[in-house]
């Protein structure tokens, strides 16, 4: 067990939480259902988040970011996701995947080229690993990049890509070597507008409907070789490290959804009267709330531990997988119980818990399913 985590909350964390919470209440809450119904990706909201420094939370100030740590980053994702999981998901994907990959593995020239635009939301970022036939089995991806003179020629398609259509720049994992080899994958940055790079089908999803999810298609897409991140063959190793941090993002997203569902249920249970008393006075309801509150606290402790290790550049594959696995399952349980507490009203779109219910399920699937997290945890504890 890694030790050294402090339970003290820094003053700047409280200031950031208040700022993000106020922004979500003022700019997001009243639009949540409209965006969800229309599957509208509100780019303008992300431009505003960029002005607040929230699209480059972890990016150093010299690249146009806020230069904050993972504890503050968790707070940002949680506060947004308490109001809307879709906005939280897109914020997380932009920060930890695309931007995070370039920050971690780009050279100085690449960082100066792309990070200032990403950190300010002048550009929206996407990250492409998954394909139609290779979800968790990423080593057998079929998207290829072949070096031709000073350019890579990319062919193939990526699926389930957040901002696959609206993103201005994407970090794409491609096969440059043998299928099935961990040294056969490379990471290349592709800018929107590059000939041969287009968006395909937009997914019609159960939840997270205001977060855009589309195919990215590459048809003899020629990209300068200087867009390669690191060395050829480093892509899979890079992606796994990026996903370690990404798991903290999805854990924070899950925590925000769980808290949002819990707070809605808590408020309703105090206000709703049956048999002349608030339903919160019935043990059947109060015990549900007690379970939700306890699991939320436990999830947050796992997330804070993983964030602390990430801040200190210590190994955290096990801890981030535990945080993501537990928090995502808690999100589903809390959202389910919230619907139950609301009763018939919980099944309607007039109240927020049905959306938390729909949004929560993605958390157990995206960036590694719960089953994959168990594989990671088991591998780490059996070393």
């Amino acid at each position: 067990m890694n030790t050294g985590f402090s339970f003290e909350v820094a003053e700047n964390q409280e200031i950031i939480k208040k700022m993000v919470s106020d922004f979500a209440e003022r700019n997001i809450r009243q639009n949540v259902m409209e965006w969800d119904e229309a599957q509208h990706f509100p780019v303008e909201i992300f431009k505003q988040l960029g002005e607040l420094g929230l699209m480059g939370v972890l990016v150093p100030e010299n690249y146009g970011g806020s230069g904050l740590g993972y504890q503050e980053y968790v707070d940002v994702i949680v506060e947004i996701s308490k109001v809307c999981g879709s906005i939280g998901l897109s914020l997380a994907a932009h920060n930890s995947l695309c931007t995070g990959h370039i920050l971690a593995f780009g050279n100085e020239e690449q960082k100066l080229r792309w990070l200032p635009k990403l950190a300010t939301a002048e550009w929206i970022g996407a990250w492409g690993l998954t394909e139609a036939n290779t979800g968790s089995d990423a080593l057998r991806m079929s998207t290829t990049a072949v070096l031709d003179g000073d350019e890579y020629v990319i062919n193939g398609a990526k699926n389930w890509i957040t901002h696959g259509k609206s993103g201005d720049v994407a970090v794409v994992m491609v096969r440059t070597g043998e299928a099935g080899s961990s040294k056969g994958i490379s990471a290349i940055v592709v800018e929107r507008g590059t000939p041969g790079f287009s968006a395909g089908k937009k997914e019609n999803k159960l939840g997270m409907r205001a977060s855009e999810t589309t195919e990215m298609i590459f048809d003899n897409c020629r990209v300068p070789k200087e867009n390669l991140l690191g060395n050829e063959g480093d892509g899979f190793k890079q992606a796994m490290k990026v996903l370690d941090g990404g798991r903290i993002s999805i854990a924070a997203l899950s925590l925000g959804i769980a808290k949002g569902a819990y707070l809605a249920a808590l408020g309703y249970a105090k206000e709703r009267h049956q048999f002349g008393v608030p339903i919160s006075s019935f043990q059947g309801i109060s015990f549900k709330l007690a379970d939700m509150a306890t699991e939320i606290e436990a999830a947050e402790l796992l997330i804070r531990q993983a964030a602390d290790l990430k801040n200190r550049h210590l190994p955290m594959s096990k801890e981030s997988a535990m945080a993501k696995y537990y928090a995502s399952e808690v999100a589903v349980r809390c959202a389910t119980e919230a619907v139950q507490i609301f009763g018939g009203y919980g099944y309607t779109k007039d109240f927020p818990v049905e959306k938390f219910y729909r949004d929560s399920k993605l958390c157990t699937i995206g960036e590694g399913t719960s089953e994959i997290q168990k594989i990671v945890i088991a591998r780490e504890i059996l070393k």
Side-chain angles (χ1 to χ4, degrees):
M1 177 67 69
N2 291 286
T3 57
F5 172 57
S6 170
F7 286 92
E8 288 183 20
V9 177
E11 184 181 352
N12 70 316
Q13 278 184 255
E14 293 296 346
I15 294 169
I16 291 165
K17 282 172 70 172
K18 178 74 165 57
M19 176 188 74
V20 178
S21 176
D22 288 348
F23 178 89
E25 291 296 335
R26 190 171 60 250
N27 299 287
I28 298 174
R29 190 176 291 280
Q30 72 270 24
N31 299 306
V32 166
M33 291 311 298
E34 181 185 336
W35 294 339
D36 183 78
E37 293 282 324
Q39 299 197 68
H40 171 66
F41 176 59
V43 175
E44 66 281 1
I45 286 294
F46 294 95
K47 301 293 185 184
Q48 292 171 32
L49 288 167
E51 290 172 11
L52 292 175
L54 301 178
M55 295 293 272
V57 178
L58 302 162
V59 176
E61 291 180 31
N62 57 308
Y63 300 120
S66 296
L68 298 171
Y70 263 79
Q71 301 294 2
E72 292 87 352
Y73 176 54
V74 167
D75 288 328
V76 169
I77 301 298
V78 167
E79 292 304 315
I80 293 289
S81 305
K82 278 162 67 174
V83 175
C84 181
S86 293
I87 307 304
L89 173 62
S90 280
L91 186 63
H94 174 94
N95 270 283
S96 76
L97 297 180
C98 179
T99 307
H101 197 139
I102 295 169
L103 178 61
F105 298 105
N107 59 37
E108 189 63 18
E109 185 182 330
Q110 291 168 333
K111 290 178 184 178
L112 288 168
R113 180 177 169 189
W114 291 306
L115 289 180
K117 291 181 177 179
L118 287 164
T120 57
E122 179 183 343
W123 281 10
I124 303 293
W127 193 76
L129 175 65
T130 305
E131 296 181 4
N133 295 313
T134 56
S136 300
D137 188 15
L139 289 177
R140 285 171 178 77
M141 67 177 60
S142 58
T143 300
T144 58
V146 178
L147 191 60
D148 179 25
D150 290 334
E151 296 176 316
Y152 280 101
V153 183
I154 305 175
N155 282 285
K158 296 292 178 179
N159 287 60
W160 309 107
I161 308 305
T162 305
H163 315 143
K165 179 181 179 181
S166 296
D168 300 282
V169 62
V171 178
V172 185
M173 265 48 68
V174 294
R175 188 156 57 78
T176 50
E178 292 297 314
S181 167
S182 62
K183 293 191 167 86
I185 308 295
S186 301
I188 297 177
V189 178
V190 187
E191 295 182 10
R192 186 68 60 188
T194 304
F197 176 29
S198 62
K201 175 191 173 189
K202 180 177 177 178
E203 303 297 340
N204 185 8
K205 299 176 299 190
L206 168 72
M208 303 289 196
R209 289 166 62 84
S211 179
E212 176 188 280
T213 307
T214 62
E215 287 179 303
M216 292 194 302
I217 298 170
F218 303 91
D219 181 12
N220 290 319
C221 178
R222 303 184 77 92
V223 179
K225 68 178 182 181
E226 57 262 29
N227 286 23
L228 178 73
L229 293 173
N231 298 313
E232 198 170 281
D234 285 351
F236 184 74
K237 182 172 63 176
Q238 291 177 4
M240 292 306 102
K241 288 184 178 176
V242 168
L243 285 172
D244 270 350
R247 288 179 185 127
I248 296 175
S249 290
I250 303 301
L253 170 67
S254 304
L255 181 63
I257 290 171
K259 284 187 173 185
Y262 165 73
L263 290 170
L266 182 67
Y268 182 79
K270 290 177 179 178
E271 294 167 7
R272 170 75 165 166
H273 282 65
Q274 291 285 272
F275 308 103
V277 293
I279 63 170
S280 59
S281 65
F282 302 134
Q283 202 172 71
I285 300 297
S286 65
F287 278 16
K288 287 183 187 299
L289 293 166
D291 283 340
M292 292 162 77
T294 302
E295 291 191 336
I296 285 169
E297 291 278 346
E300 179 149 16
L301 287 171
L302 283 171
I303 295 165
R304 295 296 179 184
Q305 175 185 238
D308 176 64
L309 293 171
K310 182 72 175 172
N311 274 344
R312 293 192 283 143
H313 308 290
L314 294 172
M316 37 71 80
S317 294
K318 180 189 75 175
E319 288 80 6
S320 66
M322 284 179 168
K324 196 272 186 187
Y325 165 52
Y326 186 74
S328 65
E329 297 290 343
V330 165
V332 172
R333 285 196 293 272
C334 284
T336 302
E337 292 289 43
V339 171
Q340 194 71 15
I341 289 169
F342 270 78
Y345 292 112
Y347 205 66
T348 72
K349 293 184 182 288
D350 295 330
F351 292 86
V353 290
E354 69 85 31
K355 183 177 182 295
F356 287 125
Y357 182 72
R358 288 184 290 108
D359 287 350
S360 66
K361 190 57 197 166
L362 180 73
C363 299
T364 69
I365 299 169
E367 292 196 37
T369 63
S370 289
E371 290 75 18
I372 289 294
Q373 305 311 318
K374 290 184 194 178
I375 289 172
V376 172
I377 295 162
R379 185 175 63 220
E380 291 294 319
I381 64 178
L382 293 170
K383 278 182 177 178

